[in-house]
Amino acid sequence: MNWPLDPTTGKCEPTITQLFGENPGGYARFGYPGHNGLDLWTDHVPAIVYAIEAGTVEKVGWEGDGYGKYVTLYHEGGW
């Protein structure tokens, strides 16, 4: 896997903490069939985030009730 986080800048390898589609029961109340993203962790501060595919950054932000820190990218084809 090519990491969207720089694996050379921290003391630990980046880690996936929640996969796309996981925990359907927890996301049903939001109308989702499961987790609608991919959660990643790195010990590097600030985290250096790369897009795996060409796209446009739509939003970078913080949402305290669920999303935490996030980056939203738009890729051709609707992803």
Side-chain angles (χ1 to χ4, degrees):
M1 173 181 178
N2 291 325
W3 285 100
L5 300 172
D6 189 337
T8 64
T9 55
K11 295 177 185 173
C12 302
E13 180 88 8
T15 304
I16 296 172
T17 58
Q18 189 170 202
L19 293 169
F20 189 89
E22 281 191 330
N23 303 313
Y27 290 92
R29 63 185 171 162
F30 303 112
Y32 297 122
H35 187 240
N36 66 338
L38 179 69
D39 289 353
L40 303 167
W41 174 88
T42 182
D43 66 344
H44 186 265
V45 178
I48 299 170
V49 181
Y50 301 98
I52 293 177
E53 185 176 316
T56 304
V57 174
E58 288 193 328
K59 190 171 184 182
V60 175
W62 165 259
E63 199 275 321
D65 293 326
Y67 285 109
K69 295 177 186 176
Y70 65 92
V71 178
T72 303
L73 300 172
Y74 175 81
H75 298 286
E76 289 193 25
W79 290 99

